[in-house]
Each structure stands twice: as structure tokens, then as C-alpha cells.
Amino acid sequence: MLAADPSASIASIAAEAGVDRRTVYRRFDSREDLLAAIYESRVTAVEEAIREARLREAPVTVALHRYVENIIAVNRTWPVDLARMLADDEIRRRRDACITEVDLFLERATAEGILRRDQPERWAGSLLPELVHLAAHQQTHLSPAQAADVVVDTFLYGIGARPIQALDPGRGPAASGDRARAVTFDLPNPPPA
């Protein structure tokens, strides 16, 4: 309810949960306390998703899939307004620690040759959460595992029919000035999903 309407009242939340408003107030002194508990639960779920993915130990592609699948499940379970969530300093600190852990993982993926080194700084770290968000909220007919398959495939291989060579003045048709043929399709296809 709070994802759909961040201003939802305690009474409407209680009604949707099938309980009396007093029941909610027995557990939470205020609406802010309820929100704090939700934000705490979400960030704890993200931390657990990262731990379970074993970003430092597991093979990169295995860890990537586990992480994406877990975060899709978290996003679907706890679809809260992140801007409001991050107003809490402790939650923001914990979230920043999660981002750092994922950034270190993406650096590892780059060092191991899984991700390209020629991308703009922080591109992978900006792109991955966007793909996860889209899969979590626009591909709801897919299970988290199926949605993770789509995200990981897109993240690692893109959506083009075949990979393309970058325009490089030192190689291929671009070097001879033939801009119309500058994009070549001679890179191997990615492995089948």
C-alpha cells in the first residue's frame, strides 16, 4: 500500500491487513515507527541478499545471478519509496555499505574479464540496478529466477542480435574512412542462455 500511496493512513493499512487500527498501534507507536520498521526490514533483506549471493567468493556469473534474483525478490516484497527510506541516516549508511559491496563485486567482474574495461566509469554500477528495477516491477509475470535470467543476459550481452565492434580509428572499416561500414559483426555470439 505504501508503495502505491506513500501517504496511506494507518487505518487504511490496518483495513487492508484485515486488522483493527488499534492492533497496528499496539506494535507501532506512530506511522513513522511503522515506516522505520519497513525500511529496516528492506535494508536487512538487501544485506541478506548480498550475503547469500557470496559476491566475494562465488564465481562471478553465479554470484551475479544470485544477487539479481535475490534483489528482485526484495524489490517485490518491499516496494517502498527509497527517497523517503534514505532520509534515515542509519538506513542510508547501511544502504551505502551495500552499494560499496556491489561496486567491489563489479570491479572484480571487470578484473576477471566478465565485464568490459572500456565502459565509462560507474556505468555497470548504474546500469545493473536499473535493469533489476525494471525486471522486478515490469516483468512481474516472471519468477525472480526467470527475471534474473533476463537481467543477467541483458547485462552481460545486451539486447542486440549480435555484439558489435566499437568504432575504433585503428581497426576495421572506420580506419579507412568508410563510416557506413564502421559497425562490423564479426565478434562471436554470446553463449546461448
Side-chain angles (χ1 to χ4, degrees):
M1 284 190 71
L2 290 167
D5 178 11
S7 64
S9 69
I10 291 288
S12 62
I13 292 169
E16 181 69 20
V19 298
D20 186 83
R21 172 175 77 132
R22 292 174 295 200
T23 302
V24 176
Y25 279 117
R26 275 197 289 275
R27 292 204 55 181
F28 305 102
D29 291 335
S30 66
R31 186 174 186 286
E32 289 71 32
D33 285 349
L34 172 62
L35 289 173
I38 291 169
Y39 300 155
E40 166 70 26
S41 294
R42 179 182 166 88
V43 77
T44 298
V46 169
E47 291 166 339
E48 184 59 28
I50 289 171
R51 269 192 299 280
E52 286 179 6
R54 299 180 54 234
L55 298 180
R56 293 181 187 218
E57 305 87 20
V60 169
T61 55
V62 172
L64 177 63
H65 195 282
R66 283 182 188 154
Y67 168 76
V68 170
E69 182 177 349
N70 293 345
I71 296 299
I72 287 171
V74 169
N75 286 348
R76 289 178 178 173
T77 303
W78 303 102
V80 296
D81 179 358
L82 296 179
R84 293 181 69 179
M85 176 179 159
L86 297 177
D88 179 293
D89 290 338
E90 177 60 16
I91 296 294
R92 179 182 292 276
R93 183 196 63 73
R94 290 171 61 193
R95 182 219 180 224
D96 289 349
C98 291
I99 290 172
T100 298
E101 192 68 26
V102 174
D103 285 345
L104 290 171
F105 168 70
L106 294 174
E107 288 174 16
R108 176 182 159 219
T110 302
E112 291 184 19
I114 304 298
L115 298 177
R116 292 172 32 192
R117 296 175 192 267
D118 64 345
Q119 295 301 297
E121 186 176 342
R122 301 247 339 108
W123 181 243
S126 298
L127 182 60
L128 184 58
E130 294 297 325
L131 291 172
V132 169
H133 176 81
L134 289 170
H137 301 294
Q138 292 185 4
Q139 301 299 317
T140 55
H141 62 286
L142 299 176
S143 71
Q146 292 168 324
D149 290 344
V150 173
V151 169
V152 170
D153 183 67
T154 302
F155 186 66
L156 294 179
Y157 305 112
I159 60 171
R162 296 179 70 186
I164 59 173
Q165 285 182 324
L167 296 178
D168 182 346
R171 72 183 226 227
S176 66
D178 184 1
R179 304 291 296 171
R181 294 183 308 140
V183 177
T184 60
F185 295 93
D186 60 355
L187 293 177
N189 284 326

